[in-house]
Amino acid sequence: MKTDLSRRSFFRMAAAASAVAAMPIFTEPQLAHAQRRRFARVIPPGAVRIDANENPLGPCSGACAVMSSLLPEGGRYDMELTQKLVDTFSAQEGLSSDYVLVYAGSSEPLHYTVLAFTSPQRSLVVADPSYEAPMYAAKYSGAKIVKVPLAADYSHDVRAMVAADPNAGVLYICNPNNPTGTITTRADIEYALANKPKGSILLVDEAYIHFSDATPSLDLVRADKDLIVLRTFSKVYGMAGLRCGLAIGRPDLLAKIQTYGMNSNPILAVAAATSSLQTPELVPQRRKINTDIRTDVFSWLSANNYKFIPSQTNCFMVDTGRPGREVMTAMAQRNVYIGRVWPIWPTYVRITVGTRSEMDQFQVALREVMTSPTPASVHAQDPATLAALGTRDLPPRSAKLLI
Ligand code: PLP
């Protein structure tokens, strides 16, 4: 009996190990491509790209200068540069440096946290709609996925999330949320921490925090609570293609995610990230640019009676009142590539805040699309039809479909 059990658990572990070995790391551009590939495999040069929450401003000038001067050193691994980033960030945030891990983007630690803390016995609890990458990782840990609709104010419904499954392993809170750009309050995050199922952790994804008024959760890490916070240099710092992100948490929690993989970091990325952190005016400047453009777009949307969700980040959702997939296609025909649709809200599309000129082109294209005849399929406004249209080709379930 004992032998049978240990054999079974060995095979379970081996199966888990092989699933993990095959796990792709999903990021925004792959998820955007998954819905776009129906009508465009690539985005043509010169098109308006407001589909993947990128920052059109790119890295700041200081980061560019550091990278140029470092380029000839590209033959070296130079681990010291990663350590300098850890030391800079932890000193700024009042953390001990063993509370910070550096990765090539936050997607890696996001997936590894789900693998480390969920299993067939310990579920993943997410808001709906929210960023989907943790759900893809959960497919590889074999965890049940429990989706909890956002509250009426578009915050995470933390009361429903903590009650969703007594055996939860991870509660994922994206603050501010992707795709809605809405905030979950500090009080709610504290409630989730105090009431989460025993043995579970919070994964608080702060990819968009710099654009918003949301209260960061790093002091909860300093207080040794059961949470891992993710930060990325892909958004406000404009370094998505350079790849740099951080996992911040108690060393015993970080040790668990490290077992799933660590690599040498790209030296240009970590040096640019350090330089960005050392540029104190950068975040307020970029936040203002983003807020100003977004506010103007919202005024235009309101003036034209388009329904949207007030966001505090570099993306927002518009309810088009027709299948969002069709709007995406029609916009692409006008050379404007917008973001995707979540199954729970099939008539909403997610828009990234681009430059002023890009948002001008977005407005022209959206007006044209919205004033053209509604496809016959939608006239009935039948919820089942809309839902079917909205979920027709969801982001892929396997790496094969994506890559
Ligand atoms: N988390 C959220 C909510 C995101 O939207 C993204 C990307 O858009 C990521 C994490 C991953 O970003 P990266 O791997 O570029 O750091």
Side-chain angles (χ1 to χ4, degrees):
M1 178 70 175
K2 196 166 176 230
T3 320
D4 266 7
L5 268 182
S6 40
R7 195 175 296 145
R8 265 208 301 276
S9 56
F10 168 79
F11 283 119
R12 219 179 298 129
M13 278 168 63
S18 61
V20 168
M23 185 184 73
I25 302 289
F26 290 98
T27 57
E28 258 299 328
Q30 291 164 307
L31 297 169
H33 177 260
Q35 281 196 17
R36 189 186 70 231
R37 67 181 191 274
R38 242 175 346 111
F39 53 86
R41 290 213 159 255
V42 290
I43 297 184
V48 174
R49 307 176 68 124
I50 47 173
D51 65 327
N53 291 357
E54 295 160 331
N55 187 338
L57 303 177
C60 66
S61 57
C64 289
V66 165
M67 286 191 286
S68 302
S69 66
L70 200 57
L71 203 49
E73 297 302 313
R76 304 275 171 207
Y77 294 107
D78 205 340
M79 312 288 279
E80 292 302 310
L81 288 171
T82 293
Q83 191 56 45
K84 193 171 168 201
L85 172 58
V86 169
D87 292 343
T88 306
F89 181 80
S90 46
Q92 287 182 350
E93 300 296 343
L95 288 157
S96 166
S97 58
D98 54 346
Y99 281 60
V100 181
L101 290 177
V102 179
Y103 290 86
S106 61
S107 297
E108 259 191 89
L110 185 159
H111 286 69
Y112 298 156
T113 303
V114 174
L115 291 184
F117 294 95
T118 71
S119 67
Q121 293 75 37
R122 309 249 19 185
S123 67
L124 169 73
V125 181
V126 294
D128 193 15
S130 188
Y131 187 52
E132 310 95 318
M135 293 194 278
Y136 291 114
K139 289 189 190 299
Y140 288 85
S141 68
K144 183 172 77 170
I145 298 165
V146 186
K147 292 186 182 183
V148 177
L150 290 176
D153 63 357
Y154 304 108
S155 65
H156 287 59
D157 186 345
V158 291
R159 276 151 194 81
M161 286 179 82
V162 300
D165 181 3
N167 295 316
V170 171
L171 279 69
Y172 174 72
I173 296 183
C174 189
N175 195 32
N177 191 37
N178 176 7
T180 51
T182 47
I183 282 174
T184 297
T185 64
R186 172 50 176 257
D188 278 351
I189 289 180
E190 283 178 6
Y191 177 91
L193 261 182
N195 295 284
K196 65 184 175 48
K198 197 158 178 282
S200 66
I201 64 152
L202 295 194
L203 177 57
V204 180
D205 188 338
E206 297 190 342
Y208 300 93
I209 193 111
H210 302 98
F211 291 113
S212 75
D213 292 333
T215 308
S217 289
L218 290 179
D219 60 314
L220 299 170
V221 173
R222 275 197 295 276
D224 282 335
K225 302 287 186 197
D226 295 333
L227 80 162
I228 290 177
V229 174
L230 300 175
R231 288 284 177 93
T232 181
F233 289 87
S234 296
K235 305 302 171 186
V236 88
Y237 296 109
M239 290 178 35
L242 291 163
R243 312 303 297 133
C244 193
L246 305 175
I248 307 123
R250 247 178 22 228
D252 64 298
L253 300 180
L254 296 186
K256 291 200 169 127
I257 69 172
Q258 271 178 295
T259 58
Y260 290 90
M262 284 303 288
N263 200 346
S264 265
N265 287 299
I267 62 167
L268 298 187
V270 292
T274 305
S275 167
S276 303
L277 291 179
Q278 290 169 335
T279 309
E281 65 281 10
L282 182 59
V283 170
Q285 271 173 3
R286 291 198 163 184
R287 183 178 164 164
K288 179 169 175 0
I289 292 168
N290 179 68
T291 305
D292 290 351
I293 297 174
R294 193 186 63 228
T295 306
D296 288 351
V297 176
F298 285 178
S299 304
W300 179 84
L301 289 169
S302 300
N304 287 279
N305 294 320
Y306 296 128
K307 200 174 144 200
F308 63 94
I309 297 175
S311 149
Q312 287 202 20
T313 67
N314 70 337
C315 67
F316 58 91
M317 298 207 91
V318 175
D319 182 1
T320 64
R322 57 181 77 188
R325 301 301 181 89
E326 294 183 8
V327 175
M328 285 172 72
T329 312
M331 293 290 281
Q333 283 159 358
R334 290 157 177 83
N335 222 19
V336 177
Y337 288 78
I338 61 170
R340 58 186 185 277
V341 175
W342 271 251
I344 189 171
W345 293 343
T347 59
Y348 285 71
V349 287
R350 191 197 62 196
I351 315 293
T352 301
V353 177
T355 61
R356 259 189 201 287
S357 139
E358 286 171 333
M359 297 324 278
D360 289 346
Q361 292 173 74
F362 158 75
Q363 288 168 21
V364 170
L366 187 71
R367 196 201 298 272
E368 266 180 41
V369 169
M370 296 299 285
T371 50
S372 54
T374 312
S377 57
V378 199
H379 277 313
Q381 291 286 312
D382 160 36
T385 310
L386 286 174
L389 287 164
T391 53
R392 198 165 36 202
D393 60 354
L394 281 177
R397 280 175 178 70
S398 77
K400 251 194 191 145
L401 284 166
L402 255 190
I403 301 164

